Amino acid sequence: MTEIQQNTPKKRIFSGMQPSGEAHLGNYLGALRRWVGMQDEYDCVWCIVDDHAITSGGDPAEMPSSVFDLAVSFLAVGLDPERSTIFVQSDVHEHTELAWLFNAVTPVGDLERMTQYKDKAQHFESIPAGILNYPILQAADILLYKANAVPVGEDQRQHLELTREVARKFNARYGETFPITEPLIGEDVGRILGLDGNAKMSKSLGNTVGILADPDNVWDKVRTAVTDPQRVRRDDPGRPEVCNVFALHRFFTEENAREEIEAGCRSAELGCVDCKRILSGNIATSFAPYRERATHYREHPSEVRDVLDQGAEKARKIASETMQEVRRKMGLNWRNAIP
Ligand code: TYM
């Protein structure tokens, strides 16, 4: 390492994931796999965002195990508490406090324009305010740590634009405080399609494969995946360029095997079921080490608790410094009136 590199502080990155049990392939390719590779280059803060998750109205009794299962996924894929800060959002109360303060600089119109808000709002007769304010909490997550960049999938881009706007507005009104955070969106993994061909793989759509699923379960899911819609009969030649199963081979199958699959599909020598079997086998094989580590953490849950406790402690230190500065700048320091 050169002297310059040693003296330059690492840039900080923050990212979050909602706890809905173990991570799926979309979370993994769009986020987790990239996060693991960033741990040496950046000062990393990874958060399980349970305060966000309550806006979807899930069963409170399931929340603790959903958080635990996601923490197991984090550790199993190689997020490393020695190199990263890993914690649960509700353990650091400054997130919700800063979100409230950001209400002061966020126009309601900006929130109403969010496409995720518009999508989610359709499902309610009376829309909970938390769904509208969701991106303010996301801005608070990121800016509490003054993160320079945020690695996410494409679906988060608009929320990150709002985060940048909140930072700009806050800085203009209260003085330079927050960085204008950059989104880091993977070019080829920004939007992993659902196995059903839906534009997004998402647990709520039931079109995912869990990264810790056992091989039979991976097959059960991959077996149902849609392929080239024009390949109706076994003898029809296929078009790998429009097939999502072939797209997934890109991440799990060696190049020369992929070339063979491509040729076999075009010539109809290889059928869709066999092609899916190869993919399913390769997914299960490449995640085998994760399943093994997950088993370890499930058998030693106190190790997971210790990681999250220590992560929360580290996060709170940074968060409380930012909040002191924010409260002072916003005039929330009445003791100053007393000489
Ligand atoms: P969430 O929990 O829906 O997803 C977590 C991460 O996984 C990515 N992702 C995908 N990437 C590619 N293709 C897919 N099909 C796919 N599905 C999910 C997401 O883009 C995301 O990076 N609002 C956020 C959580 C959040 C957050 C934050 C993120 C709260 N605070 C601060 C970044 C910074 C969410 O619901 O992600």
Side-chain angles (χ1 to χ4, degrees), residues 10 32 35-40 42-46 71-87 293 297 303 307-308 310-311 314:
K10 284 180 180 174
L32 281 177
W35 299 359
V36 170
M38 291 172 172
Q39 296 182 105
D40 289 326
Y42 297 97
D43 170 10
C44 297
V45 184
W46 313 122
V72 167
S73 291
F74 275 21
L75 297 173
V77 300
L79 293 185
D80 174 5
E82 299 290 323
R83 291 180 292 157
S84 289
T85 301
I86 304 170
F87 73 105
R293 282 208 287 271
Y297 286 114
E303 288 184 22
V307 165
L308 297 178
Q310 283 156 20
K314 280 198 311 194

Side-chain angles (χ1 to χ4, degrees), residues 14 16 18 26-27 52 134 138 141 152-153 155-156 189-190 192 201:
F14 177 97
Q18 293 202 56
N27 297 141
H52 274 104
Y134 181 108
Q138 186 158 347
D141 295 341
V152 281
D155 60 332
Q156 300 300 314
V189 290
I192 302 298
M201 181 177 281

Side-chain angles (χ1 to χ4, degrees), residues 320-339:
S320 71
E321 270 176 35
T322 305
M323 286 315 298
Q324 275 180 30
E325 182 186 356
V326 168
R327 287 190 206 109
R328 180 171 46 78
K329 287 183 168 165
M330 295 184 86
L332 300 170
N333 51 352
W334 61 268
R335 285 179 184 80
N336 271 11
I338 299 167

Side-chain angles (χ1 to χ4, degrees), residues 14-20 24-32 34-35 47 49 52 70 89 95 116 120 134 137-139 141-142 150-157 159-160 163 189-194 199-203:
F14 177 97
S15 206
M17 192 169 285
Q18 293 202 56
S20 43
H24 60 69
L25 216 56
N27 297 141
Y28 175 73
L29 294 171
L32 281 177
R34 303 173 57 230
W35 299 359
C47 184
V49 294
H52 274 104
L70 186 57
Q89 190 182 30
H95 288 247
Q116 288 205 4
K120 287 184 198 163
Y134 181 108
L137 181 57
Q138 186 158 347
D141 295 341
I142 296 164
V150 179
V152 281
E154 183 63 45
D155 60 332
Q156 300 300 314
R157 188 186 287 281
H159 285 174
L160 295 193
T163 299
V189 290
R191 192 180 296 276
I192 302 298
L193 303 188
K200 191 183 159 194
M201 181 177 281
S202 159
K203 193 137 183 187

Side-chain angles (χ1 to χ4, degrees), residues 85-143:
T85 301
I86 304 170
F87 73 105
V88 179
Q89 190 182 30
S90 63
D91 275 342
V92 182
H93 297 168
E94 285 83 351
H95 288 247
T96 43
E97 182 184 359
L98 185 58
W100 173 254
L101 301 184
F102 280 166
N103 278 313
V105 294
T106 313
V108 171
D110 286 3
L111 299 172
E112 285 170 339
R113 264 195 294 282
M114 295 289 118
T115 52
Q116 288 205 4
Y117 166 69
K118 289 190 215 164
D119 289 348
K120 287 184 198 163
Q122 286 173 1
H123 302 293
F124 294 92
E125 219 170 281
S126 161
I127 302 163
I131 289 190
L132 181 67
N133 288 331
Y134 181 108
I136 302 190
L137 181 57
Q138 186 158 347
D141 295 341
I142 296 164
L143 297 176

Side-chain angles (χ1 to χ4, degrees), residues 199-218:
K200 191 183 159 194
M201 181 177 281
S202 159
K203 193 137 183 187
S204 58
L205 299 171
N207 60 12
T208 63
V209 190
I211 60 169
L212 303 177
D214 61 41
D216 286 346
N217 196 270
V218 174

Side-chain angles (χ1 to χ4, degrees), residues 225-233 236-246 265-266 272 276:
V226 300
T227 54
D228 175 359
Q230 283 182 20
R231 194 170 189 199
V232 182
R233 285 179 305 263
D236 293 337
R239 298 169 301 163
E241 66 279 8
V242 301
C243 178
N244 190 30
V245 170
F246 187 71
C265 173
R266 287 193 197 287
C272 290
K276 287 177 185 178

